[in-house]
Amino acid sequence: MGYMENNFVIEIKNLDVKINNKLILQNINLTLKEKEIMAIVGPNGGGKTTLIKTILGFYKPSAGTIKIMGKQFQKIPKGLIGYLPQKDLINYNFPILVYDVVLMGRRILKKFLEKTTDKDKEICLDALDKVGMSGYLNRPFNKLSGGQKQRVLIARLLAMKPKILLFDEPATGLDVVGQEDFYELINKLKEEEKISILMVTHDIGVISSYVDMIACLNRTIHYHGPPEHGIQPEILEKVFGKNIQFVIHDHRCATCRGFSDE
Ligand SMILES: Nc1ncnc2c1ncn2[C@@H]1O[C@H](COP(=O)(O)OP(=O)(O)OP(=O)(O)O)[C@@H](O)[C@H]1O
Ligand SMILES: [Mg+2]
C-alpha cells in the first residue's frame, strides 16, 4: 500500500477542480504525512476552502487524484476525517448540553436508531478530557465562550476517532490566548493521538512556531515546505500579491509585528 510505503495520509497529485466550469484549483500537488500539522495560507478566494471540500469529497476533481491513507475513495469512510468548517462556532437553536454535542460524534458512526453504549460514553468523556472541557459536561453548549465551543466541537470530532483533522480558519474569532491554546491543543493531538492536521489560516505569524509545514495556495500551490522558508517576503508576495499588507497587518502577536517591521 502507498500509505505504508511513504507515510502520506493525504496525497494529492495534479489536481484540477472546476466549479461552474471555472477552474478554481489548478495542478495541485500536495502531501500530508502522518503526525504532521500543515497550514494552508493564501488570499481570499484563493481556493483554500475548495481544496478542503474536495479532499472531503464535496467536489469532484476534473483532473488528478486524491489518496487518503493510500487509497482513492469513492466515498470517504465515516469518521476517518474530522472537519470543522469555516465559521462554525454555531449556536444550536435548541438547548443542548456539552456532552450531547460530543455524543453526536459517536452517533454519526451508527445506524439510524442504533443505541449508544457505555463504550460510546467512555469515548466522549475521554474526548472532552483531551480538549480540557471535562468540567463542562452538563453545561448548555450555547452559553459557552467561542473558544470553549470550539474545544467542544473538536471533542465531537475526536469522538469519531479520526486519523485526519481538517480545520478551516479555526483561529478566526479567538483572542491571542485562545489562539495559543488552540495551537497547543492541536500539537498535543498530533503527539498523543497521532492525528495529522491540515488547517487553513491567515495567521502567518503564529504559524512558524506551531506548524511543521505550510502550503501557500492561490489557485495553485506556490510553496510547500517548512515554514521558515515559506515566510520569505518574495513567496508571500507571489501568493498574496496586493493583499500582502492586509495579511501582515492582520497579525496580533509580537513576533508578527516584528516581521512586518523588517
Ligand atoms: N459553490 C461555489 N460556486 C461558485 N463559485 C465558488 C463556489 N465555491 C467557491 N467558489 C469560487 O472559488 C474561488 C475560491 O473560493 P474559496 O472559498 O475556496 O476560497 P478561500 O481561499 O477559502 O477564500 P477565503 O479566504 O475568503 O475563505 C472563489 O473565486 C469563489 O468565488
Ligand atoms: Mg475559505
Side-chain angles (χ1 to χ4, degrees):
M1 286 288 287
Y3 167 62
M4 297 309 290
E5 282 164 29
N6 54 25
N7 260 4
F8 293 148
V9 294
I10 300 179
E11 187 176 18
I12 301 174
K13 279 192 186 155
N14 306 326
L15 173 76
D16 287 354
V17 175
K18 284 183 184 166
I19 299 178
N20 300 334
N21 236 7
K22 200 172 150 232
L23 198 56
I24 304 294
L25 297 174
Q26 184 172 23
N27 197 29
I28 304 285
N29 287 285
L30 200 64
T31 52
L32 179 72
K33 286 192 185 134
E34 200 171 28
K35 273 188 75 180
E36 188 169 75
I37 299 182
M38 181 153 75
I40 301 181
V41 300
N44 295 126
K48 303 179 296 295
T49 299
T50 304
L51 179 58
I52 288 206
K53 288 187 175 171
T54 307
I55 292 169
L56 288 161
F58 298 164
Y59 298 125
K60 289 278 163 258
S62 55
T65 55
I66 300 178
K67 286 185 181 171
I68 308 290
M69 315 296 290
K71 264 196 188 146
Q72 240 181 302
F73 289 104
Q74 284 300 320
K75 195 169 175 290
I76 311 273
K78 280 183 189 172
L80 181 59
I81 304 180
Y83 167 52
L84 201 59
Q86 195 165 5
K87 299 187 195 77
D88 194 27
L89 295 181
I90 26 157
N91 263 322
Y92 291 98
N93 53 11
F94 53 94
I96 181 163
L97 300 180
V98 165
Y99 175 75
D100 293 314
V101 172
V102 180
L103 195 62
M104 287 177 184
R106 296 304 299 165
R107 290 197 190 283
I108 286 167
L109 305 179
K110 294 181 180 285
K111 294 193 190 79
F112 184 59
L113 294 183
E114 188 183 339
K115 287 211 167 60
T116 52
T117 62
D118 287 349
K119 178 79 185 159
D120 292 316
K121 185 172 183 182
E122 191 186 306
I123 291 169
C124 291
L125 296 180
D126 186 46
L128 273 168
D129 187 45
K130 279 172 187 148
V131 302
M133 288 295 289
S134 315
Y136 294 80
L137 203 63
N138 293 313
R139 301 278 192 94
F141 177 81
N142 287 345
K143 299 231 165 96
L144 302 179
S145 75
Q148 290 170 333
K149 278 182 187 160
Q150 187 185 57
R151 283 175 178 263
V152 172
L153 293 175
I154 293 172
R156 184 180 68 178
L157 298 181
L158 292 178
M160 307 187 312
K161 303 226 166 235
K163 289 271 185 243
I164 301 167
L165 288 176
L166 304 181
F167 294 119
D168 200 344
E169 303 203 20
T172 309
L174 299 180
D175 63 18
V176 177
V177 175
Q179 292 186 8
E180 278 176 10
D181 287 350
F182 170 78
Y183 286 108
E184 266 156 38
L185 171 63
I186 61 171
N187 271 278
K188 195 181 96 170
L189 296 178
K190 172 182 95 165
E191 291 301 330
E192 293 174 11
E193 311 301 316
K194 302 186 177 29
I195 295 176
S196 309
I197 294 164
L198 188 64
M199 58 175 219
V200 170
T201 181
H202 283 286
D203 215 346
I204 292 181
V206 174
I207 287 175
S208 44
S209 37
Y210 291 103
V211 312
D212 306 304
M213 298 288 266
I214 66 170
C216 300
L217 175 67
N218 191 4
R219 196 153 97 138
T220 194
I221 302 286
H222 291 267
Y223 174 81
H224 175 215
E228 309 84 83
H229 308 294
I231 297 178
Q232 297 304 315
E234 311 85 71
I235 293 176
L236 290 180
E237 210 171 303
K238 198 170 160 199
V239 178
F240 287 97
K242 289 196 206 86
N243 290 325
I244 187 161
Q245 278 317 93
F246 163 75
V247 171
I248 288 168
H249 289 151
D250 197 31
H251 292 171
R252 268 154 282 181
C253 72
T255 336
C256 318
R257 285 196 292 277
F259 169 66
S260 66
D261 289 337
E262 277 169 23

